[in-house]
Amino acid sequence: MRAAPDSGEAAHVWAVGGQVQGVGFRPFVYRLAQRFRLNGWVRNRSGHVDIFTQGNAQALVAFGEALFTEAPPLAQPQLLASDPAPCRPLAGFTILASEEGGKTAARLPPDMPVCDDCLRELHDPAGRRYRYPFINCTQCGPRYTIIARLPYDRPHTTLAGFPLCADCRREYEDPRDRRFHAQPLACPRCGPQLTFSVPGEPPLAETATALAAVVAALRAGVVVAVKGVGGYHLLCDAQQTAAVERLRQTKPRPHKPLAVMYPPDAGLARLRRDVWLTGEEEARLRDSARPIVLAAKRPAAALSPAIAPGVNDIGVLLPYSPLHHLLLEDFGGPLVATSGNIGGEPVLTANGDAERRLGRVAGAFLHHNRPIQRPADDSVYRVIAGAARPLRLGRGVAPLELTLPFERARPLLAVGGHLKNTLALAWGRRVVISPHIGDLDTVRGRETFVQTAADLQALYGVRAEAVACDAHPGYAATRWAKDSGLPMVSVWHHFAHASALAGEYPEIGEWLVFTWDGAGYGADGALWGGEALLGAPRRWRRAATFRPFFLPGGERAAREPWRSGAALAWEAGLTWDGLPEGGALLHDAWRRRVNCSRTSAVGRLFDAAAALAGLLREASFEGQGGMWLEAACGSEAAPIALPLGKNGAGAWQSDWSPLLPLLLDSGRAVGEKAAIFHASLAYALLAQARAARREHPIDAVGLSGGVFQNRRLTEQAAGLLAADGFSVRLARRLPCNDGGLCFGQLIEAGNG
Amino acid sequence: MDDTRISLAHGNGGRFMRELIENVFARHFANPLLDVQADAAVLPPVAGELMMTTDGFTVQPLEFPGGDIGALAVHGTVNDLAVAGARPLYLSLGAIIEEGLDIAQLERIAASIAAAAQAAGVRIVAGDTKVVGRGEGGGLYLAATGVGVRESAVALGMARIQPGDAVLVSGPVGDHGVAVMLAREQFGLRGAVRSDAASVYPLTAAVSAMDGLRFMRDPTRGGLATVAHEISRAGGWELRLRQADIPVRAAVRTVCDMLGYDPLYLACEGRVVAVIDAAQAETALAAWRRLPQGQGAARIGSVRQGPARVVLETGCGGERLLDELEDDPLPRIC
């Protein structure tokens, strides 16, 4: 019995929410209580942590501060409640068993890179986890990709099949140990192991031997499929052109840039030899997501030229799992690290699938026996206009939780776009956005979509009572939404792009958002993609657009930029000698509008410019025309003014036709054409914004849609707008491409 | 009045109509069972189960390389009987003619009907004509009913399909769809591709005695992909098709590549898709390949346990889903 007021004793209760589970928060509270000599208990409870402390009144105050200022790096505690309480008879401080309640407050943590403490142990020859590729603790290791269901306890993860040995059990149960309740805890004795296999040969199932075999294979120029955290990578020596070419030919992936993973030396010396790294880029490269960051390649980069043909940036990343650390350290040089998949499907995760599907690409496999519950591809960022912008949400970032600017009465699932698909689940004021799923035309894309939709709802204990989807009736996600039988909110593609941005800046009431992309189904039945939308979520109207043209050959136009080039030339009444054989038939079809869609998409203008300027005729990946045109740009150039007038529907319309003589002029260099094209579009954007401002009070201008992944255009447009007094907004948390559509769809759906 | 064109008088029951029937239809269709004076045809007794089908034909243009609406009406009706396992015997034909149709064209089509019927071994035993006013019809519509007798060893049907079965197609796909589209739009390439319109009875007869045969269908509207979806949906099967094994003529491929069409969704009028016990697939293929119409026959895929979907295995290890055809497909990925 210690409750004596005159001794200065007091008691206090705290409820702490936010990111506090699966991140070592309770052991931290325990240690803190020991330090301040407080009695009491801490307990996980339906998504938050309850703490009862009793002791010296001043110590209680200090404890309350330290809870937030000294929290573990991964924890993001938010104070939910803090109240004095009556003193009780108590001795010592204990961690009480979790109380399972409603799951809806729980958080699903993303996967974490190996922490410094574990890295030290990884390299300590005296330690029992020396060079053990699955070392982890409460501050690091896999989460999203191993959790089968919540609450987050080992039996609910893919480690369930690995009973802890006595040593690991002791760490797991010791509140003073940083592995206290580290659910993926493992050691060489009781945890997962590596297996190296070459088809047709007996596998090497011993971890150290397997690691040595992988490094030898990579040195010999073999493409190796390596199972990591969220799926398989295809790795090969980034300096051996023959190896890189073989990977490109067999995958097949003829041109799309390949990411390169660098050894983790302290100063990133090897990395800096190949790319220029700004402070912002370096910070993002090192942050807890360890994403791929696009950085400018140095002319003297010691890399195969086949890594990223046609572009100036390469995607670089650092090792994040202990396995990747060991691999890169042992190999000692940069490795191509591209997703182990075929086409735009989600990255492969199962050992058998990898062998079956990647057999023609990979000469060897490095498997492990820790199952991956669901895929998470690497995240991708690019620094644009001063900040790192996500181009793809994946491992380490997603599931991404955001707060809604309104309270949703009924839980809603927003199912996103057709390519680069992501999903969002919203309930109350919470939104959880899935990692990148991919192309829904692929079998694996469709299966992962269905699994992720089910998993998000099951993990958070939230059942969607409505769905939001794109208005395009042919999107697989839209068909799925229809088949779900739930009330459906259908959202125009570009309204979703505008609202995804607006949802990141709820404080802004009135917008002009430029939604420029490759094309989406528009409200007038045409393919939009060059629209400026005025208003705010749920009340967008088209303020400006581009002169429409007819795109021949349906979806093939997305893969064949020459079609966009031909379409502009025909529309302008010019002849273009770049048509392939059979082009006359297409011209006939174009005249009769057979399988030709009307479009105003800027993405297709980029394709057309790339084709007319002679850069490329066919694209082997989405956005290649725009990327190659951006990379081709010479120094800054004076724009060509694009005439601006009102169209029949009362919207401002820019005419691209003055660009054609330039693009077709054989006397001018591609670099000059590309630079003038970018400048002209940036000035056309400014002209549209000014015209709209003459009619409406506009301050905030947003740039959303895949075209704004183009740094040259975006930075020039943003600079012009800012200089003209507009305040410019770009997406910060979500990709501006179709990966952000799901969030925009649920903002459009509103609170119903 | 212009006596080279159909007028409303050709449908009024009077002399013009009698002359039209006698001079155009009866003359070409003449056979012992066709009595233009009678209200109903008398057919001799048949041993076996009768099978019957009916269909309407509205193709534009009325004539195209490799066929016309008349031949299509005969083949379409005959083929529905044939893939069901029947030997086609008799046809009835109803013609709805638009005022202003060139009588010479009607004669050509009637001759084509007669030739197609003869080639298919069926007799036209009943008919009817109506004339509608200008602008009320597409020149000529035909309605046909066919009667046949069942020949197959078993009652074919989608319910017989088993996992592990093989999927066969009797020849290249998409010919008819491309031929008609080129003709309709009067493209310069007109004639580069001919419709495959033909009776498939020789093909179906060649395999109908096989006890491992499960199901046959002629992939008309919506093409091979649509038949695949029908099979998949009926039993909840996964259908796997290997893109590299699906026969497509080079000329069809070229036109489709240029105009942005997928030949798997384009109509055929002389092909058969068959599902058969995998153990008998090669025998059936060999039987088809011995026929002039079946030389391009190929084994293109297999049936698996669900989920119900149609998977196209592409050349480089890709696995894409073939979705059901949209009414008006809009580009999704531009």
Side-chain angles (χ1 to χ4, degrees), chain B residues 232-306:
Chain B
S232 163
R233 225 183 13 247
W237 308 116
E238 176 182 284
L239 239 75
R240 289 205 156 238
L241 302 178
R242 291 179 301 274
Q243 189 168 37
D245 293 343
I246 300 172
V248 180
R249 278 186 210 288
V252 169
R253 168 83 57 211
T254 302
V255 171
C256 285
D257 281 355
M258 186 52 65
L259 300 186
Y261 290 108
D262 186 343
L264 304 191
Y265 290 90
L266 296 181
C268 308
E269 289 292 346
R271 306 285 176 237
V272 180
V273 173
V275 182
I276 189 166
D277 182 344
Q280 297 181 12
E282 293 306 318
T283 313
L285 267 188
W288 276 359
R289 286 176 179 156
R290 279 194 292 272
L291 299 168
Q293 256 181 289
Q295 301 201 342
R299 182 173 181 168
I300 57 170
S302 58
V303 177
R304 292 193 189 181
Q305 290 288 3

Side-chain angles (χ1 to χ4, degrees), chain B residues 33 60 113 116 136 142 146 172 186 223 231 236-237 254 290 303 305:
Chain B
L33 296 177
Q60 293 295 331
I113 292 172
E136 291 172 19
L142 295 175
Q186 299 176 312
I231 293 170
W237 308 116
T254 302
R290 279 194 292 272
V303 177
Q305 290 288 3

Side-chain angles (χ1 to χ4, degrees), chain A residues 357 441 447 479 563 604, chain B residues 257-258 309 317 321 326 334:
Chain A
R357 305 284 314 285
D441 272 335
E447 285 175 347
R479 293 181 184 213
R563 291 174 186 270
R604 298 283 84 82
Chain B
D257 281 355
M258 186 52 65
R309 62 189 181 187
L321 286 160
E326 287 285 322
C334 279

Side-chain angles (χ1 to χ4, degrees), chain A residues 629-709:
Chain A
L629 199 69
E630 180 188 3
C633 281
S635 55
E636 214 163 290
I640 290 174
L642 304 189
L644 184 66
K646 282 274 173 103
N647 69 9
W652 291 102
Q653 180 171 300
S654 298
D655 181 2
W656 37 260
S657 63
L659 290 166
L660 294 191
L662 163 80
L663 294 168
L664 291 168
D665 182 350
S666 57
R668 300 173 83 164
V670 169
E672 188 190 1
K673 293 178 184 179
I676 296 173
F677 179 84
H678 278 77
S680 304
L681 284 189
Y683 275 89
L685 188 152
L686 175 68
Q688 291 186 355
R690 283 174 160 174
R693 185 169 57 186
R694 282 196 294 276
E695 297 171 343
H696 310 276
I698 297 165
D699 172 51
V701 174
L703 307 179
S704 189
V707 165
F708 296 108
Q709 296 170 106

Side-chain angles (χ1 to χ4, degrees), chain B residues 156-245:
Chain B
L156 301 177
M158 287 200 267
R160 287 173 45 79
I161 295 170
Q162 308 277 324
D165 284 351
V167 181
L168 315 179
V169 67
S170 67
V173 299
D175 295 10
H176 177 75
V178 167
V180 169
M181 188 251 306
L182 290 178
R184 181 172 56 233
E185 302 297 337
Q186 299 176 312
F187 284 135
L189 265 183
R190 188 175 183 192
V193 176
R194 293 173 62 80
S195 168
D196 56 346
S199 163
V200 298
Y201 176 68
L203 293 164
T204 58
V207 296
S208 63
M210 299 178 70
D211 63 357
L213 184 65
R214 317 289 196 204
F215 172 75
M216 295 189 286
R217 177 147 291 171
D218 50 335
T220 54
R221 267 180 306 187
L224 175 63
T226 300
V227 172
H229 266 283
E230 287 164 357
I231 293 170
S232 163
R233 225 183 13 247
W237 308 116
E238 176 182 284
L239 239 75
R240 289 205 156 238
L241 302 178
R242 291 179 301 274
Q243 189 168 37
D245 293 343

